[in-house]
């Protein structure tokens, strides 16, 4: 099982892909521009554990709705513009793993619209105004 890193825009995707390349991290990257044969191979490599990290764009999910197997942890580098993508990705967790899966969301004050779509307007306002930087959602 591995880590899925979800990014909203292609610019973030390119920035993260280049950063991971610079750090010599062993990963696969799946965007809307990835050829279908490569996408299938990358998903297979991720599912069987050969590659531990999968970088994934919102547009790839929007257009292809890939069913990705082997997800143990999800990192939302940016929240999706389409709120239902959040729950769709969480439903792809590999529940057969012994370890409890985790979802980590990185957000700033500029992500308030996306955050309010996922958790609701009232909760998003509370999270943005809070002094703490960690939130646990069940």
């Amino acid at each position: 099982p591995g880590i899925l890193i979800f990014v909203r825009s292609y610019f973030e995707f390119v920035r993260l892909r280049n950063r991971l390349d610079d750090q010599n991290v062993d990963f696969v990257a799946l965007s809307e521009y990835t050829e279908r044969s490569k996408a299938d191979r990358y998903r297979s490599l991720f599912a069987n554990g050969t590659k531990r990290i999968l970088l994934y764009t919102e547009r790839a999910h929007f257009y292809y709705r890939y069913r990705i197997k082997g997800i143990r942890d999800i990192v939302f580098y940016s929240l999706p513009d389409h709120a239902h993508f959040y729950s769709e990705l969480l439903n792809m967790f590999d529940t057969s793993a012994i370890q409890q899966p985790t979802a980590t969301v990185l957000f700033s004050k500029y992500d308030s619209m996306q955050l309010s779509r996922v958790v609701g307007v009232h909760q998003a306002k509370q999270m943005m105004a809070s002094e703490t930087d960690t939130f646990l959602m069940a």
Side-chain angles (χ1 to χ4, degrees), residues 48-133:
N48 67 29
T50 305
K51 301 289 184 177
R52 302 282 317 254
I53 298 174
L54 172 64
L55 189 57
Y56 189 50
T57 65
E58 179 173 19
R59 285 177 55 121
H61 189 69
F62 179 85
Y63 289 118
Y64 303 109
R65 299 291 167 98
Y66 291 120
R67 177 73 181 123
I68 300 171
K69 297 178 182 175
I71 300 173
R72 185 192 67 225
D73 302 302
I74 298 178
V75 176
F76 287 92
Y77 185 79
S78 49
L79 282 164
D81 280 325
H82 301 278
H84 61 279
F85 288 177
Y86 181 80
S87 59
E88 285 179 13
L89 291 168
L90 292 182
N91 286 327
M92 290 186 204
F93 273 132
D94 182 5
T95 56
S96 66
I98 296 171
Q99 183 182 5
Q100 182 73 21
T102 61
T104 303
V105 178
L106 306 176
F107 66 90
S108 70
K109 64 182 178 181
Y110 303 109
D111 298 317
S112 61
M113 294 294 290
Q114 290 81 13
L115 185 62
S116 64
R117 289 182 196 127
V118 172
V119 300
V121 175
H122 180 69
Q123 184 67 31
K125 284 181 181 178
Q126 285 182 340
M127 292 170 76
M128 292 297 215
S130 176
E131 292 294 321
T132 183
D133 58 356

